[in-house]
Amino acid sequence: MDSITSKILYNEEVAPGYFRIGLEWKGVLVLPGQFVMLRVSDSLDPLLRRPFGIYKVLNPKWVKSAGGYRGSGIELLYSVVGRGTIRLSRRVAGDVAGLLGPIGNGFPVPEQSRNKEQKVIMVAGGVGTVPFYLLADLLGADSALLVGARSKEVLALVKDFRPLKCKVAISTEDGSVGAKGLVTDLLKEEIAKGGPSVVYGCGPLGMLKAVAEVSESLGVDSFVSLERSMACGIGVCLGCAVKGTEHAARPGRPPEYVMVCSDGPVFKSSEVEWSRL
Amino acid sequence: MKKNDNNKTGNNKAGKGVTKLPSMAVNVAGLKLSNPVMTASGTFGYGLEFAPYLDLSRLGGVVVKGLSPKPRPGNPGPRIVETPCGMLNAIGLQNVGVDAFIEEKLPKLRKVKTRVIANIFGESVADYVLVAKKLDGARGVHAVEINISCPNVKKGGMSFGVNPKEAARVVRAVRKATALPVITKLSPNVSDIAEMARAVEEAGSDVISLINTIPGMVIDIEKRMPVIARGIGGLSGPAIRPIAVRMVNEVYNAVSLPVIGIGGIMNASDAIEFMIAGASAVQVGTASFVDPQAAEKVVDGIADYLVRHKMSAKKLTGSLQK
Ligand SMILES: Cc1cc2nc3c(=O)[nH]c(=O)nc-3n(C[C@H](O)[C@H](O)[C@H](O)COP(=O)(O)OP(=O)(O)OC[C@H]3O[C@@H](n4cnc5c(N)ncnc54)[C@H](O)[C@@H]3O)c2cc1C
Ligand SMILES: Cc1cc2nc3c(=O)[nH]c(=O)nc-3n(C[C@H](O)[C@H](O)[C@H](O)COP(=O)(O)O)c2cc1C
Ligand code: FES
């Protein structure tokens, strides 16, 4: 992990309210599913850095021994939801911004987690597609991306996945794109197709909970990337705690709470006390 | 200022390229610091977490997360929320416990050339004494800081921090339990901070640090519920700085003990403001979340200021002009 001042290479709107920002970071090594803490401005208000998943690595080279991509920078994809992201959306190429990371464990990468036949089913809610781009690129046809969204904005979110070999399925609440309904219905169908699989989820809490439940009921392991308000991103403020189940306990630590930033953000669903989230 | 008031303490990295560096060293009631900049408890982990980002040996001291007799799991989440120029936290004093600190964290901290200050708390006077005694024998601990003021835990600090008699009771007991310098960290949540300061001075505290966080609340208007699970949290960050500077000045005028200024220090100018108000040293808190290198930058900035004003750190303390 490193703390750097990075140059903004580009910052552009890809769909109403969605931006992608390129940040210079020579030699950065990214594991799929990691995130950064980004200082959106030098002002004292908003004060804290904001967490964003790493979407892409610029000029990526797969480093097998590390299980990650090395590159010359990173790209983030963010939705504008409040004060910090509004400010961020106004920054322009050539500006500098404080970056801390790459942070977290990321999703288990294939060599570590599975045998060849196992399919990785990635379930994203809205901008929850972010941590899956690198994985989808890596796994290709061995993976499927299921995206649930409100409406047509989903087209901007899946655009970059289209050229990849990864299978993409969409559901929207209003039925304007893909199937009308919930992404967990797509998940049930995908699991029902058979063959060994593992499920990765990223998105709103309610969706993650449903993903964990559906996976468990169908006898499939699932991993989820959790979100919590964060101050430090390096495990010291103890602000991003979530309740873990008994066997989530780490040695030398009171077992009750795990930190999303330093123990996660990816957790095995069975290690999270969903009722306490 | 004496002509030969130059640096003799080996703190020569600060104020690069300057031949005559005014002394950065401060002696806070027996606690000798190479410079006046420490980190605030609860914002710097157990110190080592920051080793990748800054040179710990360049800090005057490191104050570790509050330690209790037994490990504590802390509060349910959400534990933090951002506020205008600040944040609220209700961590609930989660910590590894004093034994694990001594066995696992301290051996590694000993290898770093800095002063280690152990922040302690408890739910009874006996708790405080127990933790203080254990630390007294631990090599590598240079002082204890008594947190009588944490507003987060129902049964914990608050009752000691708001009542001069109770505060004095804890300080007196800890004073007896350890040979280390004793710093008492005051809560701002009182109507007369000078009275609190005098009470802990009389009880034998060597140093006073202040302020701890200020109780606050943020409400989610859609859910009509507090954002933080516990409802109330402690406010920190630049939003509290003017309150903290005022209280440091009041305490400086009320007692003869050295004072450590805490509250919303983001950069060297903020730290210098506290020193002018009467602080002999300062602690950098929330700023370390915003920028993990913040504390080291404060050291550099103070050095530059002292060079510019041809002044030692010691002389800066209480230099407020009327
Ligand atoms: C590990 C992690 C990875 C993330 N990755 C991405 C990403 O790739 N792209 C992206 O667009 N967003 C991502 N987020 C969410 C992003 O951090 C928040 O949207 C952002 O911090 C909001 O800042 P703001 O100042 O604009 O909003 P605020 O003014 O702080 O809040 C506006 C609204 O957003 C909600 N909000 C604030 N912080 C969060 C949060 N951490 N998680 C969820 N909701 C929040 C608030 O409750 C409020 O309703 C991630 C969050 C985490 C924890
Ligand atoms: C997340 C967090 C945890 C804290 N934990 C402790 C603690 O364990 N003991 C203590 O005495 N003070 C604790 N504090 C208070 C700080 O040490 C400091 O007094 C306060 O935050 C004001 O300084 P600041 O505005 O620079 O952060 C904590 C503060 C924060 C933000
Ligand atoms: S954000 Fe500080 S511990 Fe996770």
Side-chain angles (χ1 to χ4, degrees):
Chain A
M1 241 203 278
D2 217 345
S3 175
I4 65 158
T5 302
S6 167
K7 192 165 91 190
I8 298 176
L9 301 170
Y10 51 87
N11 186 26
E12 55 197 28
E13 195 160 21
V14 292
Y18 290 85
F19 283 72
R20 47 184 210 122
I21 184 170
L23 295 152
E24 192 174 72
W25 201 340
K26 298 216 169 80
V28 66
L29 179 75
V30 179
L31 313 181
Q34 284 191 309
F35 68 101
V36 294
M37 295 292 283
L38 174 67
R39 187 108 193 255
V40 297
S41 80
D42 288 337
S43 152
L44 293 182
D45 194 28
L47 181 68
L48 301 172
R49 290 171 186 245
R50 298 292 192 261
F52 295 102
I54 298 173
Y55 183 46
K56 291 182 182 174
V57 173
L58 307 181
N59 304 311
K61 265 213 184 88
W62 175 248
V63 184
K64 193 162 184 240
S65 58
Y69 286 96
R70 196 176 285 289
S72 63
I74 57 170
E75 182 176 301
L76 314 176
L77 176 68
Y78 62 96
S79 65
V80 177
V81 297
R83 298 180 310 145
T85 44
I86 287 171
R87 283 212 171 216
L88 184 60
S89 70
R90 293 185 188 138
R91 312 279 322 254
V92 295
D95 282 0
V96 293
L99 259 183
L100 181 64
I103 303 171
N105 53 0
F107 286 102
V109 288
E111 283 87 352
Q112 299 164 2
S113 71
R114 67 193 194 107
N115 50 44
K116 270 266 151 52
E117 296 86 58
Q118 195 179 36
K119 180 172 61 186
V120 175
I121 306 173
M122 300 172 284
V123 189
V127 76
T129 47
V130 166
F132 295 134
Y133 180 81
L134 293 176
L135 266 181
D137 191 19
L138 191 68
L139 303 179
D142 294 335
S143 65
L145 175 74
L146 316 177
V147 188
R150 222 162 290 139
S151 187
K152 288 202 186 87
E153 81 280 3
V154 71
L155 291 172
L157 296 173
V158 298
K159 187 166 165 264
D160 291 342
F161 289 83
R162 296 289 193 197
L164 308 178
K165 293 201 185 75
C166 158
K167 187 193 144 189
V168 176
I170 295 171
S171 71
T172 49
E173 283 169 27
D174 64 3
S176 58
V177 187
K180 184 173 160 89
L182 296 172
V183 73
T184 37
D185 295 331
L186 298 182
L187 177 59
K188 282 177 198 155
E189 286 168 28
E190 193 63 39
I191 294 175
K193 286 180 186 162
S197 51
V198 61
V199 174
Y200 295 172
C202 181
L205 190 59
M207 184 208 93
L208 294 182
K209 213 167 177 171
V211 165
E213 277 165 14
V214 166
S215 305
E216 198 193 341
S217 69
L218 297 174
V220 176
D221 277 346
S222 67
F223 294 80
V224 292
S225 183
L226 296 180
E227 282 192 14
R228 265 290 196 237
S229 292
M230 291 183 177
C232 71
I234 55 175
V236 297
C237 76
L238 307 177
C240 64
V242 297
K243 195 100 177 163
T245 51
E246 201 77 3
H247 66 277
R250 309 289 196 276
R253 177 100 58 84
E256 277 96 325
Y257 291 101
V258 288
M259 296 302 138
V260 172
C261 70
S262 51
D263 298 321
V266 177
F267 296 92
K268 205 167 183 193
S269 299
S270 57
E271 292 190 346
V272 177
E273 279 280 4
W274 292 95
S275 61
R276 308 290 286 271
L277 267 176
Chain B
M1 194 182 108
K2 275 182 290 168
K3 263 213 193 99
N4 59 355
D5 211 6
N6 290 332
N7 178 34
K8 288 183 195 130
T9 58
N11 185 326
N12 41 25
K13 275 196 227 163
K16 300 152 199 135
V18 178
T19 39
K20 280 198 174 180
L21 179 63
S23 173
M24 290 280 280
V26 291
N27 184 337
V28 186
L31 178 63
K32 292 197 183 85
L33 309 176
S34 63
N35 67 64
V37 183
M38 300 180 245
T39 59
S41 178
T43 64
F44 212 68
Y46 300 96
L48 296 156
E49 294 93 329
F50 281 80
Y53 311 108
L54 48 68
D55 182 353
L56 292 168
S57 71
R58 292 205 55 219
L59 303 179
V62 166
V63 186
V64 301
K65 178 75 189 157
L67 299 168
S68 49
K70 296 232 161 65
R72 286 177 63 108
N75 287 336
R79 293 176 170 188
I80 54 170
V81 62
E82 194 184 54
T83 60
C85 297
M87 63 180 281
L88 280 189
N89 89 80
I91 306 302
L93 294 170
Q94 174 175 340
N95 78 100
V96 296
V98 66
D99 294 327
F101 171 74
I102 292 171
E103 280 154 36
E104 292 159 29
K105 312 281 180 188
L106 200 52
K108 292 180 201 140
L109 259 180
R110 270 202 291 267
K111 300 202 179 105
V112 181
K113 246 190 87 217
T114 187
R115 302 278 141 176
V116 175
I117 294 107
N119 181 282
I120 67 170
F121 70 95
E123 293 179 356
S124 64
V125 173
D127 278 357
Y128 281 97
V129 167
L130 190 122
V131 181
K133 279 205 170 126
K134 286 195 168 165
L135 292 165
D136 189 42
R139 200 160 54 82
V141 176
H142 301 96
V144 293
E145 180 180 61
I146 314 174
N147 175 11
I148 58 167
S149 46
C150 184
N152 290 338
V153 181
K154 272 190 215 139
K155 276 167 71 191
M158 194 46 113
S159 59
F160 296 108
V162 296
N163 181 327
K165 281 208 185 82
E166 288 298 299
R169 210 155 67 87
V170 178
V171 172
R172 210 170 290 124
V174 172
R175 175 64 290 165
K176 272 196 210 128
T178 179
L180 293 168
V182 171
I183 305 167
T184 306
K185 183 167 175 180
L186 298 184
S187 164
N189 196 27
V190 294
S191 48
D192 187 353
I193 195 75
E195 183 193 9
M196 287 300 302
R198 281 189 291 264
V200 303
E201 179 178 44
E202 259 164 49
S205 186
D206 300 305
V207 184
I208 290 174
S209 64
L210 77 162
I211 63 174
N212 210 314
T213 55
I214 304 174
M217 190 184 224
V218 172
I219 294 169
D220 179 330
I221 61 165
E222 297 304 320
K223 298 184 189 150
R224 290 189 215 101
M225 276 167 64
V227 174
I228 286 187
R230 272 295 157 105
I232 290 171
L235 183 63
S236 67
I240 70 170
R241 200 185 77 230
I243 299 174
V245 171
R246 184 262 296 171
M247 287 190 156
V248 163
N249 188 240
E250 285 178 356
V251 169
Y252 174 74
N253 290 328
V255 298
S256 53
L257 299 183
V259 179
I260 298 172
I262 320 167
I265 295 174
M266 300 303 290
N267 52 42
S269 314
D270 299 347
I272 290 162
E273 204 182 330
F274 274 96
M275 294 184 70
I276 294 170
S280 297
V282 295
Q283 292 178 10
V284 174
T286 301
S288 292
F289 302 156
V290 179
D291 177 2
Q293 286 138 357
E296 195 173 356
K297 288 178 184 167
V298 171
V299 176
D300 289 338
I302 294 178
D304 288 346
Y305 179 91
L306 295 177
V307 169
R308 209 150 43 79
H309 289 264
K310 300 194 177 59
M311 207 177 188
S312 68
K314 248 187 345 212
K315 286 271 161 62
L316 187 57
T317 297
S319 59
L320 184 67
Q321 308 293 306
K322 296 263 157 59

